[in-house]
Amino acid sequence: MKIVVTGTEGYLGCLLAPTLLEAGHSVLGIDTGYYKQGWLYNGVTASVETLAKDIRHITADDLRGADAVVHMAELSNDPLGELIPDVTYVVNHKGSVRLAEMAKAAGVSRFVYMSSCSVYGVADDTVDETSPVNPQTAYAECKVMVERDLSPLADDDFSPTYMRNATAYGASPRQRFDIVLNNLAGLAFTTGKIAMTSDGSPWRPLVHGLDIAKSIRAVLDAPREAIHDQVFNVGDSQQVYRVREIAEAVGRALPEAEITFGESNGDNRSYKVNFDKIHSTLPGFSCDWDADKGAAQLVEVFKAIDLDEETFKGRGHTRLKQLEHLIRTGQLDAELFWNYQPTSGIAQ
């Protein structure tokens, strides 16, 4: 199968692409290059040819001949979405829908969209794919809107699938430290303590980046009727944790670190998610990782590279800091398009 993957230079994309190659697929990457500098360690077996292009500029010709598109390239996480909500809607909503339209026009038969469990927002009861959504941020609202607008495109020749990932964690060469388990592990390793201001009571479902890659492979391998215009929560019902339990998993991997909690809960996002559907519909899928294994993996990587506080807190591994830097230095314009540098004659 020939597969186009957007976001191959991102946290999850750089894990996915090599696994698709190892499974015998042909892979073309597309990435605009915002996070090229965020390389933490040499940890992938292969890289793929990657077209340097913004998803807003992709044409049908870029996708022609592909059997599937896996769309991972959006502006990631809630703080970034709140900082530039207008641009987030243009890129994440309109850009993603346009990409799907281009894929359909090019004759691509499958479109796998990386959605998020953040669409559930706040929920008192355990939610599944049939539950009402309750997005709390621009980032989550865009996910809901893309799912809504891709569904009418589904027909006999075009099958979109929506993967609502739990919060990702785990080691990646293009590491992110702005997601909960990774952040707490980096904090504990570089400072020797985790001092949480909240009580850690909100619920968060977690899934390792390699298990997300595994879920995508399972969807691509599945018969069309099993995945056509379907939503899948991606994770495991046994991996729904309170935030304090995530911190405690980090503590088990780094027993010398001091972990303390506050008395308040400053985050209203809390949801418990059921993941039965993906396990029953896609028999080849199961999660190989849990929070303890993921924390231990991160600590192993941190020790191998001697992770320091400057690297942990640096812009290369935090999406918001990196984009703020690119905007402040004039490398990106207000709409997050690359500016050209006429003095060098080289386009960024």
Side-chain angles (χ1 to χ4, degrees), residues 123-140:
D124 295 328
D125 300 320
T126 300
V127 293
D128 63 19
E129 291 85 351
T130 65
S131 301
V133 294
N134 186 19
Q136 301 293 301
T137 63
Y139 172 76

Side-chain angles (χ1 to χ4, degrees), residues 261-276:
F261 300 93
E263 296 182 359
S264 64
N265 173 23
D267 190 345
N268 70 331
R269 295 168 302 161
S270 181
Y271 43 91
K272 291 186 282 186
V273 180
N274 178 283
F275 296 95
D276 290 349

Side-chain angles (χ1 to χ4, degrees), residues 167-209:
T167 300
Y169 69 92
S172 167
R174 295 199 180 275
Q175 188 66 29
R176 285 183 60 182
F177 287 126
D178 52 3
I179 42 184
V180 59
L181 193 153
N182 295 359
N183 179 265
L184 296 178
L187 190 65
F189 187 86
T190 57
T191 70
K193 59 184 178 181
I194 299 174
M196 296 186 64
T197 57
S198 74
D199 62 4
S201 60
W203 291 95
R204 288 286 188 283
L206 298 185
V207 63
H208 196 284

